[in-house]
Amino acid sequence: MRRVLILGGTAEARALAAELVERGVHVTSSLAGRVRNPRLPAGEVREGGFGGPEGLAAWVRNERPDALIDATHPFAARMTASAVEAARLTGIPLLVLRRPGWPQAPGELRVPSLEAAAAELAVGDRVFLTTGRRSLPIFANLTGVWFLARSVDPPEPPIPRNVHIILDRGPYTLMGELALIDEHRLTVLVTKDSGGELTKAKLAAAGERGLKVIMVDRPPLPGGVTHVETVPAALDWLRDIGAA
Ligand code: NAP
């Protein structure tokens, strides 16, 4: 039986796991274990870090999967770097499945980091912040800025003093996002270029209401890595190397 290890935590990772399980492939999906009640993919699931690239390499040597798919979130740069190094150490074929980013909208400001996004905010801004609960400390010291922060699990301190938290995981609708913008009189959207369909309604809503959009760019992929943008393309690659 063919075996594939998927580094997951995304909708694409779950879709790929479902397709492979259906084809009779033995799939192990790996989750970081940070979300309290994660959406679980089909097949076997393991949770928690591997202990760096050496730990992942040891897992690969023990379990002997035929291929490694890094389908982690586009901002999970440490895990991707770790996968590249583990593949180098073990020789396992590695593919990065990374959905495309969102196209830049007219007037949208692109910044290289969360810190740069924070530096763009001004007194009086009312900010829709969708960059994840672990990013809140970066915005904690801004005074005179009000935040509506949305995350899957509750954030831990430090968090901004003037913040209202909503816990949600999407998918989100245009109507829902417009209602949030209107209810909280939001003027700025700060978000990451995660890409994908599930969370993109906020961009259309921000456009409709004329919010300033500050978009954090993705970290670049490591050089030389094989990369596809869709689940069908990942399936083709797995078929080509005889792992599916
Ligand atoms: P990260 O900074 O790249 O990873 C930090 C460490 O967490 C890694 O070195 C690894 O620990 C462990 N880890 C990350 N993903 C893992 C996985 N799929 N399986 C096992 N261990 C994993 O990643 P992150 O940004 O914290 O994201 C963590 C997870 O949440 C990812 O799986 C990602 O797909 C998902 N996610 C992230 C975001 C985001 O905005 N960053 C959004 C949605 C979902 P070891 O070094 O010990 O192996």
Side-chain angles (χ1 to χ4, degrees):
M1 193 177 194
R2 293 297 177 188
R3 298 171 66 92
V4 172
L5 172 60
I6 300 176
L7 306 174
T10 58
E12 291 75 17
R14 287 189 296 275
L16 181 62
E19 292 281 353
L20 289 172
V21 166
E22 196 152 296
R23 287 164 169 74
V25 176
H26 182 279
V27 175
T28 304
S29 291
S30 175
L31 303 179
R34 303 247 172 75
V35 177
R36 279 187 201 154
N37 184 19
R39 289 182 175 131
L40 290 177
E44 193 176 281
V45 176
R46 67 163 297 288
E47 280 198 49
F50 291 91
E54 295 78 13
L56 176 54
W59 193 98
V60 166
R61 288 193 189 101
N62 280 339
E63 304 288 333
R64 308 179 81 71
D66 299 289
L68 171 59
I69 308 286
D70 171 25
T72 55
H73 190 270
F75 282 80
R78 267 178 56 202
M79 191 67 246
T80 297
S82 193
V84 170
E85 177 60 6
R88 193 189 66 77
L89 292 169
T90 59
I92 186 173
L94 166 68
L95 179 73
V96 175
L97 167 55
R98 202 194 208 205
R99 61 190 175 224
W102 291 310
Q104 185 169 1
E108 172 186 305
L109 179 65
R110 291 262 168 170
V111 293
S113 65
L114 289 161
E115 288 78 5
E120 292 293 334
L121 296 177
V123 170
D125 283 345
R126 296 183 63 83
V127 180
F128 191 10
L129 186 63
T130 67
T131 50
R133 72 189 161 109
R134 282 180 300 133
S135 70
L136 263 61
I138 291 166
F139 300 87
N141 291 327
L142 294 177
T143 46
V145 181
W146 188 88
F147 292 93
L148 177 71
R150 183 167 64 196
S151 60
V152 178
D153 284 324
E156 280 160 27
I159 61 172
R161 197 177 320 143
N162 297 319
V163 66
H164 178 72
I165 312 274
I166 41 178
L167 302 181
D168 204 346
R169 67 177 3 156
Y172 304 107
T173 62
L174 178 60
M175 293 305 284
E177 302 295 52
L178 287 171
L180 280 180
I181 290 172
D182 293 344
E183 181 189 348
H184 298 283
R185 293 175 287 113
L186 301 171
T187 57
V188 182
L189 170 66
V190 175
T191 190
K192 300 191 290 193
D193 183 14
S194 300
E197 295 299 314
L198 302 185
T199 60
K200 81 172 194 193
K202 62 191 164 196
L203 300 175
E208 245 180 68
R209 291 294 190 263
L211 271 65
K212 175 177 178 181
V213 176
I214 303 174
M215 179 75 74
V216 181
D217 269 328
R218 297 162 161 217
L221 277 175
V225 74
T226 307
H227 144 241
V228 295
E229 294 190 332
T230 64
V231 171
L235 287 166
D236 285 347
W237 180 86
L238 284 164
R239 250 193 315 267
D240 287 349
I241 66 160

